[in-house]
């Protein structure tokens, strides 16, 4: 694993004179009942809201959300979502992020460094990269590290190289994660119209460098090389002005579970411990499911090992596994799960999803079968043929409308109980 109730109104009968006489004993009993009632009602009204019963595996996540909403917690509630192209495209994750921000406030997000691939378009930001930057990906394992949880690294010694970011909301703090060493140089960071700040990445021994700078609500960030040696960036974070809901998503197109083995253990440990996520979501399984030779046993051992590692690095976090969305390929003679128009479901897709389900059950963590939101087997074919279409003709990737629908349904399964109990109670604590 890695490189190394309201009170009822009492009614009395009215006689001709408009009053009712009570026997002394009955009067005493009634008086006693009224005294008990007067004590019980305020106590009941002042009782705290009942704690929501979260889905299996989300107990600590729900506790963090409750503390944030009640004001008992001052730092953001943070979600870390790792996965493949369904995560990289940011439509599904963007739906979750926007819903969380609407309920709890925008706590910001972490970002992949620069523009690591052509279609990179994180929602809420416009990012441009100019000059001679070299982009390295951890996808295949052939590229030497260092790599962290973003899975990418960009580097340059070009004085004209620049990254610019424009946000559609105020930024409270910028944190840059670089990889420093004896030979690395400095960067110039410009926030809005303020004067540039020179930040040093050099270290005596190679390792990650975290540079935090208050942004004061700026919406434009520019980063340039300041000389003294090359600069290597692993990621950067745009935190919100106030604590809220932070959703960091890092996806790599084509990624399988093996990609985490290409990340540097010391960097990943530093990143996760620093981030201290409240929920970690794992979105792998699509690409593995298209491999007819995938070994389910080996996959299960690898998945179990990853879960245990994350539980060690983030002991306070809930962990969730998202079983792969449905997908299809051009049918082969050996395929048995045939869909429409010559497409078929890869046989290992459901097998590995069931392996994930079993690991989640054994580990006591949350599991969501993402194919369920599409109607199960051959759901991707139905989404391709839908009007309007919800998936692309490749029968793997979701169109933005489909991804947002899948995100909304995942949100309901993650947060439905919390919204229907804790939030309604917080808004109206007396019921």
């Amino acid at each position: 694993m890695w490189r190394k109730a309201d009170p009822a109104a009492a009614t009395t009968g009215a006689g001709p004179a408009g009053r009712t006489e009570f026997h002394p004993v009955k009067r005493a009993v009634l008086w006693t009942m009224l005294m008990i009632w007067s004590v019980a009602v305020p106590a009941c009204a002042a009782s705290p809201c009942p704690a929501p019963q979260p889905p299996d595996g989300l107990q600590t996540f729900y506790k963090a959300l409750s503390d944030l909403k009640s004001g008992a917690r001052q730092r953001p509630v943070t979600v870390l979502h790792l996965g493949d192209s369904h995560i990289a495209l940011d439509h599904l994750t963007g739906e979750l992020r926007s819903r969380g921000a609407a309920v709890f406030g925008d706590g910001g997000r972490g970002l992949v460094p620069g523009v690591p691939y052509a279609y990179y378009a994180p929602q809420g930001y416009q990012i441009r990269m100019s000059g001679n930057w070299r982009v390295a990906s951890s996808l295949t394992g052939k590229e030497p590290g260092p790599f962290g949880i973003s899975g990418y690294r960009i580097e340059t010694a070009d004085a004209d190289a620049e990254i610019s970011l424009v946000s559609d909301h105020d930024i409270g703090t910028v944190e840059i994660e670089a990889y420093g060493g004896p030979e690395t140089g400095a960067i110039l960071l410009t926030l809005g119209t303020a004067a540039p700040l020179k930040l040093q990445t050099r270290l005596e021994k190679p390792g990650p460098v975290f540079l935090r700078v208050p942004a004061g609500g700026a919406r434009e960030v520019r980063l340039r090389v300041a000389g003294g040696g090359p600069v290597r960036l692993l990621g950067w974070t745009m935190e919100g002005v106030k604590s809220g809901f932070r959703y960091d998503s890092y996806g790599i197109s084509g990624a399988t579970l093996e990609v985490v083995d290409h990340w540097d253990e010391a960097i990943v440990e530093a990143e996760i411990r620093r981030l201290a996520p409240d929920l970690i979501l794992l979105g792998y399984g699509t690409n593995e499911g298209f491999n007819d030779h995938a070994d389910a046993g080996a996959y299960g051992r690898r998945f179990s090992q990853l879960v245990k590692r994350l539980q060690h690095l983030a002991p306070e976090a809930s962990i969730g596994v998202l079983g792969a969305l449905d997908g299809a390929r051009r049918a082969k003679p050996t395929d048995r799960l045939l869909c429409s128009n010559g497409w078929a479901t890869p046989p290992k897709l459901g097998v590995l999803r069931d392996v994930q389900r079993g690991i989640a059950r054994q580990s006591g963590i949350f599991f969501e079968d993402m194919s369920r939101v599409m109607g199960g087997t051959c759901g991707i074919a139905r989404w391709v043929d839908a009007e309007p279409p919800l998936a692309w003709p490749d029968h793997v990737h979701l169109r933005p409308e489909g991804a947002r629908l899948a995100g909304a349904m995942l949100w309901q399964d993650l947060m439905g109980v919390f919204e229907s109990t804790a939030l309604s109670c917080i808004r109206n604590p007396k019921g």
Side-chain angles (χ1 to χ4, degrees), residues 182-346:
E183 80 290 356
T184 59
I187 58 176
L188 287 176
L189 180 68
T190 304
L191 303 171
T193 59
L197 294 173
K198 188 174 183 179
L199 305 173
Q200 186 59 250
T201 72
R202 183 166 296 168
L203 293 175
E204 290 185 6
K205 296 181 179 180
V209 181
F210 299 91
L211 305 167
R212 288 179 60 84
V213 179
R219 292 195 172 195
E220 184 175 359
V221 181
R222 284 179 291 147
L223 186 153
R224 299 178 60 92
V225 176
V231 170
R232 302 185 183 98
L233 303 180
L234 302 178
W236 53 349
T237 295
M238 307 296 145
E239 295 182 359
V241 174
K242 297 180 180 180
S243 293
F245 188 83
R246 172 175 171 175
Y247 197 107
D248 289 16
S249 55
Y250 300 109
I252 302 175
S253 286
T256 67
L257 194 62
E258 291 184 5
V259 73
V260 302
D261 294 341
H262 309 154
W263 303 344
D264 293 80
E265 184 174 359
I267 297 176
V268 171
E269 179 172 353
E271 291 173 326
I272 292 182
R273 292 196 185 280
R274 187 178 183 86
L275 185 62
D278 299 287
L279 174 63
I280 301 175
L281 295 175
L282 300 174
Y284 299 100
T286 296
N287 296 295
E288 296 96 319
F290 277 71
N291 177 9
D292 290 355
H293 303 290
D295 185 325
Y299 185 80
R301 290 188 291 272
R302 184 186 295 272
F303 210 103
S304 179
Q305 187 179 7
L306 174 59
V307 169
K308 290 177 181 178
R309 181 61 176 159
L310 292 173
Q311 288 174 325
H312 172 73
L313 294 178
E316 300 301 317
S318 294
I319 297 177
V321 177
L322 307 182
L325 288 156
D326 189 54
R329 68 187 183 195
R330 289 294 182 184
K332 298 180 180 181
T334 56
D335 287 336
R336 295 292 179 264
L337 298 174
L338 301 179
C339 301
S340 62
N341 300 321
W343 293 85
T345 303

Side-chain angles (χ1 to χ4, degrees), residues 141-159:
K142 296 179 181 179
E143 179 77 41
F147 292 109
I149 57 177
S150 79
Y152 289 96
R153 181 183 74 252
I154 63 171
E155 53 194 20
T156 188
D158 182 2

Side-chain angles (χ1 to χ4, degrees), residues 139-179:
L139 176 61
T140 66
K142 296 179 181 179
E143 179 77 41
F147 292 109
I149 57 177
S150 79
Y152 289 96
R153 181 183 74 252
I154 63 171
E155 53 194 20
T156 188
D158 182 2
D160 294 326
E162 180 179 282
I163 305 172
S164 65
L165 175 149
V166 177
S167 170
D168 65 5
H169 59 276
D170 295 345
I171 301 171
T173 302
V174 174
E175 181 173 280
I176 298 167
E177 183 186 353
Y179 191 80

Side-chain angles (χ1 to χ4, degrees), residues 111-134:
L111 294 160
V112 175
V115 183
Y117 44 89
Y119 55 87
Y120 180 60
Q123 296 188 18
Y125 302 90
Q126 299 176 30
I127 304 176
R128 293 182 175 86
M129 188 167 65
S130 61
N132 187 26
W133 290 94
R134 180 178 179 274

Side-chain angles (χ1 to χ4, degrees), residues 50-109:
Q53 296 300 313
D56 291 344
L58 298 183
Q59 287 82 357
T60 57
F61 179 52
Y62 268 47
K63 175 63 165 59
L65 293 171
S66 296
D67 289 347
L68 179 66
K69 200 63 181 176
S70 69
R73 176 185 175 121
Q74 300 304 311
R75 63 185 180 88
V77 167
T78 300
V79 178
L80 173 62
H81 195 160
L82 305 173
D84 51 30
S85 58
H86 294 301
I87 314 308
L89 291 170
D90 205 32
H91 297 299
L92 187 157
T93 50
E95 181 70 18
L96 294 163
R97 186 179 297 108
S98 63
R99 285 173 176 260
V103 174
F104 302 99
D106 189 352
R109 66 172 295 179

Side-chain angles (χ1 to χ4, degrees), residues 382-391 399 401:
R382 292 187 290 271
W383 278 33
V384 169
D385 296 335
E387 188 58 45
L390 298 176
R399 291 177 184 265
E401 298 84 358

